[in-house]
Every structure is written in C-alpha cells, then in structure tokens.
Amino acid sequence: MGGLYAGRVPKLWTETVDAHRAAVREAILDTAAALVAEQGLTAVTMSRIAERAGIGRATLYKYFPDVEAILVAWHERHVADHLRRLTEIRDQAGAPGGRLDAALEFYAFIAHNRGRHNPDISALLHHGEQMVHAQRQLLDVTASLLAEAAAAGEVRDDIEPAELAAYCLHALGAASGLPSQAAVRRLVKVTTAGLRPSR
Amino acid sequence: MGGLYAGRVPKLWTETVDAHRAAVREAILDTAAALVAEQGLTAVTMSRIAERAGIGRATLYKYFPDVEAILVAWHERHVADHLRRLTEIRDQAGAPGGRLDAALEFYAFIAHNRGRHNPDISALLHHGEQMVHAQRQLLDVTASLLAEAAAAGEVRDDIEPAELAAYCLHALGAASGLPSQAAVRRLVKVTTAGLRPSR
C-alpha cells in the first residue's frame, strides 16, 4: 500500500475543509449579528442561530460554546475589518490632511452605527484583552496619520500625535449618540477644527 | 397626660436623628472609597468597611445591603458634587468664555482622576438609570455654558450647543488615559480650539 498520499498531508483536501469551516464560521457570525439586530441581544439563543444558519445545533456547538462567544468573535471580526479599512486609507496616495479627514470621518460613522445598532453588545465586550489590543492599534494608525499631517503643516505640531489621536477618537465617540449623518459630519468638522495649527 | 409632644412630631429630635444618620452614611461612603483606593475593589468587604468606620456590622447593614450598594451611593454622591460645582462655575460672574474654559478644565480633571483611581468602579456603575440622568444634566449644564459663550461670539454658532456639549464631554473623556496634568491641559486646549468661531 502506501499509496498516493503516504507520508504527507493531503493538502488540497485540507484546504477545502479549511475553506468550508471558515465559510460556516462566517455564516454563523452573520446570522448571529442579523438576529441581534432584528430581535435584540436577549432574544438570541444557540437554537435560533443554528436554525437560521441552516445547520444543526450539534454542528454549531463544534464552532462556538455559547452565544457570547459568537458575539465576541463577530465583534472582533468587525473591529479587524475597520482597522484594515483605516490602514488602507492611511496607505493611500494624496495629501496627508485629506487622508486624515477621510479616516476620521470613517471612524465617526463606525461609532455612529455602533450607537444605533448595538449599544448593549459594545458595553458587554469592550473590556476584553483583544479589545484593548485593537484600541491600541486604532490609536497607532490615527497617530501615524496625524504625524504625517503635522509634518505637512496641516495639523498642529505643538502637541504629540499620540495625544491628538486620543483626543480625536474620544471626540468622535460622541457620534454614537448623534441622531443623523449630518450631525456626524458636523462633529467631524468640530473635531478637526481642534487639530488645526495654532496661529 | 398628653404632655409636651402630644399630637405632633418632636421636630428637634427628628432633625438630630436625621443629622446623625446622614453623618453615619457619609462616613460609610468615605470609608468604602478609602478602602477601594487603598486595597482595590475586590478586597473591600462589609466587615472591613464596618471595622474601619468604627461601627458594628449590624449597624452597617441597616444602612446598606451590600458593598455594591455602598459604591453606587458613593459614586452618585461624587457625581452630584461635580454637577453642583459645574453649576456654580456656570452661575459665576465674568465672561462666558472664561466660565466655559473653567468648567471644561474642571470636567477634564474629573475624568483624569477617575481614570487613575477607579477604572473598575466606573465600568461597573455607568449603566444605571441614575447615571443616565446625571449624564443628561452634565450635558445640559455644558450646553448652557456653550450657548452663552456662542451668544457672546466666543464660541462657534454654526453648530447647536447640545452637539458641541457632546463633543466636549467625549473629547475630554480622553483625559482618563493621559499620564499627567500637563497633558490634561493640552487636551483642554485642543478641545476648546475646536469650539472657536469658524473664520
């Protein structure tokens, strides 16, 4: 015997299984998020997630031990997506000031959407170690944008970029309580006004 | 019989009892706060609070059912003190811009101290109905200061005072993570720069 695959991992097969598992995992996260948005946090159970995702309960439990674990994973994916997008904005071509404005507006709308859709979840999840790490990365990306804009004379240079980054992210957090997209844009305007080089 | 007090509440005596109860209550809150600051949230028990306050455990339980109730009451007193101080600042004489700056700096130092001393407690307590009410009052006081300063031409009037108040309080919340008082003052400077009338 021995055969074709003897002595090595059947790579193609492994990749297919991995891709399948990843797809099921994504579907579980999307389903849980949709259910929370529709019915609220407390109404979501493992049974309902399994049913809506079209998988068995036993299968669901192979992926996640409970609803909270799903919501944590969903939130982490969310944050990772945002960080990726912010990093892309930072790495674009163009004037530093323009990229900074785009990044701050993007972040403000994240905060705005979070406030409207999932206040309970963010309160539940914001204290984990993963979240602290993500928050740190978010501050770093923002600080690097601010440093570039300051070097180009478009942002004040009398205060360290790290401190300005903390100011920006906190100020834009107010977007979570604002009633409209127009109000979010006004918030971005006020926040960036604070960043202008002092006369 | 009948006597001196027949048919009415002995007012002086009641007042004395009330004053005594209030004093004991204050002492319990102060003791709990001191113990948390010294030993951390998890080390504080009803027994230790009673011992340090110099009262019996049974007496302590007549005032509060558990440690959490004490910390909630302590935090509410804290917030009420801050609101009172901010309202005093608002009602002072002088230029509106000066009073606004004083109020914002005061608030920033509250956030700074909270961040250094009691991160766990604020995370525990910030979701109660009382806190939502206090937060609303805080926004109202700040908005009224901003409205006056805008009327005097010292703050931008292209954005509603309520929106500017949300911006200020969120931005100044960054003080909780800042390492020094100098950094807090820089944060206040950046935040108020955002409020200046647009050219």
Side-chain angles (χ1 to χ4, degrees):
Chain A
M1 298 291 278
L4 197 57
Y5 297 125
R8 64 190 178 90
V9 178
K11 197 167 168 232
L12 206 67
W13 175 245
T14 311
E15 274 173 5
T16 308
V17 171
D18 282 353
H20 173 73
R21 281 193 62 87
V24 173
R25 194 175 183 279
E26 296 289 293
I28 293 169
L29 301 188
D30 292 338
T31 303
L35 282 171
V36 169
E38 281 168 34
Q39 304 173 3
L41 186 56
T42 48
V44 176
T45 62
M46 291 295 270
S47 300
R48 287 188 189 184
I49 294 169
E51 191 189 351
R52 174 76 75 93
I55 57 177
R57 259 172 59 95
T59 305
L60 178 57
Y61 278 102
K62 280 184 200 156
Y63 286 82
F64 293 103
D66 52 36
V67 173
E68 197 185 330
I70 300 175
L71 295 177
V72 168
W74 167 67
H75 196 248
E76 281 171 8
R77 187 186 64 177
H78 219 54
V79 170
D81 287 347
H82 295 155
L83 273 171
R84 200 175 309 122
R85 182 76 193 104
L86 279 174
T87 309
E88 279 169 20
I89 291 172
R90 181 189 62 188
D91 298 341
Q92 272 166 11
R99 281 180 281 145
L100 175 66
D101 289 352
L104 295 182
E105 184 164 307
F106 176 74
Y107 181 78
F109 277 105
I110 292 172
H112 182 56
N113 289 327
R114 188 175 58 218
R116 289 189 312 160
H117 299 312
N118 307 300
D120 315 59
I121 293 185
S122 46
L124 267 176
L125 304 180
H126 263 109
H127 302 290
E129 207 171 301
Q130 292 258 0
M131 285 312 299
V132 171
H133 180 64
Q135 197 65 25
R136 169 59 43 205
Q137 287 183 281
L138 190 55
L139 282 166
D140 287 348
V141 173
T142 309
S144 62
L145 279 160
L146 286 158
E148 275 187 86
E154 298 175 44
V155 157
R156 63 195 305 156
D157 61 1
D158 58 338
I159 294 174
E160 289 293 313
E163 283 183 20
L164 292 179
Y167 154 77
C168 287
L169 298 186
H170 275 84
L172 297 175
S176 68
L178 291 177
S180 67
Q181 300 204 341
V184 174
R185 291 212 176 80
R186 288 193 291 271
L187 175 66
V188 174
K189 192 171 145 188
V190 175
T191 305
T192 52
L195 298 173
R196 279 192 212 118
S198 45
R199 285 157 285 175
Chain B
M1 297 293 276
L4 196 56
Y5 297 126
R8 62 187 178 92
V9 177
K11 196 166 167 233
L12 206 67
W13 174 244
T14 310
E15 276 173 5
T16 309
V17 171
D18 282 353
H20 173 73
R21 281 192 61 86
V24 173
R25 194 174 182 280
E26 296 289 293
I28 292 169
L29 301 189
D30 292 338
T31 304
L35 282 172
V36 169
E38 282 168 32
Q39 303 173 5
L41 185 56
T42 49
V44 177
T45 62
M46 292 295 270
S47 301
R48 286 187 190 183
I49 293 170
E51 191 190 352
R52 175 77 73 94
I55 57 177
R57 258 173 59 98
T59 305
L60 179 57
Y61 278 102
K62 281 184 198 154
Y63 286 82
F64 293 102
D66 51 36
V67 173
E68 195 183 331
I70 300 175
L71 294 178
V72 168
W74 167 67
H75 196 246
E76 282 172 7
R77 187 186 66 177
H78 219 56
V79 170
D81 286 348
H82 294 156
L83 274 172
R84 200 175 309 120
R85 182 75 194 103
L86 279 174
T87 309
E88 279 169 19
I89 291 173
R90 180 189 62 186
D91 298 341
Q92 272 166 11
R99 280 180 281 145
L100 176 66
D101 289 353
L104 295 182
E105 183 163 309
F106 177 73
Y107 181 78
F109 277 105
I110 292 172
H112 181 57
N113 289 328
R114 189 175 59 218
R116 288 188 313 159
H117 298 312
N118 306 301
D120 315 57
I121 293 184
S122 45
L124 267 176
L125 304 180
H126 263 109
H127 302 289
E129 206 171 301
Q130 292 257 1
M131 285 311 299
V132 171
H133 180 65
Q135 197 64 24
R136 169 59 43 204
Q137 288 182 280
L138 190 56
L139 281 166
D140 287 348
V141 173
T142 309
S144 64
L145 279 159
L146 285 159
E148 275 187 87
E154 298 176 43
V155 157
R156 62 195 305 155
D157 61 0
D158 58 338
I159 294 174
E160 288 295 313
E163 284 183 19
L164 291 179
Y167 154 77
C168 287
L169 298 186
H170 274 85
L172 297 174
S176 67
L178 291 178
S180 68
Q181 301 204 341
V184 174
R185 291 210 176 81
R186 288 192 293 270
L187 175 66
V188 174
K189 191 170 146 190
V190 175
T191 305
T192 52
L195 298 173
R196 279 193 212 117
S198 45
R199 286 157 283 175

